[in-house]
Amino acid sequence: MKKILYVGIVALALLFASCATTSTRQPSIYNWSSYTKDTYDYIKSGEEDSIETVLKTYQWIIDNQTGTVRETVPPGVCADYGYLLAKSGRVQEGKKFLLKEKELYPESAPLVDSVIKMIER
């Protein structure tokens, strides 16, 4: 169930990734860095070693949105990051990022609330 939920979150984020532009004259809406590759590698391998790589990627994305059109974290990234932090034992830090996702994207509230409930069990 958790893996299905996680794949759903990633799919939602990838859907929003299409918001990025490829024009070199205009900055991208978001900076996704190696989000797609690292997330895919983590899901494909399922190994705990790859969780650190994807956590570093998510943290980099969160910290490096200066120069993009929106200058804010892309949709789904805080939720993914928070879920993986909680999964790796850093529950309070994970909840902080899940709540940040809800703050940035209020439409994500139902999904984020269900993830928080799942974490608290």
Side-chain angles (χ1 to χ4, degrees):
M1 177 67 184
K2 290 180 184 179
K3 193 159 191 167
I4 292 171
L5 180 61
Y6 182 69
V7 170
I9 292 171
V10 170
L12 179 65
L14 291 175
L15 174 66
F16 285 112
S18 64
C19 296
T21 180
T22 56
S23 172
T24 56
R25 298 178 197 197
Q26 181 180 5
S28 296
I29 294 175
Y30 304 110
N31 184 345
W32 289 92
S33 183
S34 58
Y35 176 87
T36 304
K37 179 194 175 307
D38 292 343
T39 302
Y40 174 80
D41 290 346
Y42 169 69
I43 292 170
K44 183 178 177 188
S45 74
E47 296 175 11
E48 291 303 312
D49 296 348
S50 61
I51 198 169
E52 287 305 316
T53 301
V54 79
L55 285 173
K56 287 177 186 175
T57 298
Y58 292 167
Q59 185 62 57
W60 189 94
I61 292 169
I62 290 167
D63 293 341
N64 291 282
Q65 292 302 312
T66 305
T68 61
V69 172
R70 295 217 40 228
E71 293 199 351
T72 191
V73 181
V77 173
C78 286
D80 284 351
Y81 188 55
Y83 174 76
L84 287 178
L85 285 171
K87 183 178 177 184
S88 65
R90 295 157 42 185
V91 176
Q92 291 306 315
E93 190 178 357
K95 283 183 183 178
K96 180 182 107 175
F97 281 97
L98 286 162
L99 294 172
K100 181 71 173 175
E101 178 76 23
K102 216 163 95 165
E103 176 188 323
L104 292 171
Y105 302 99
E107 64 276 13
S108 70
L111 177 63
V112 170
D113 290 341
S114 67
V115 172
I116 290 172
K117 284 179 187 176
M118 182 180 65
I119 289 169
E120 290 175 341
R121 291 185 194 149

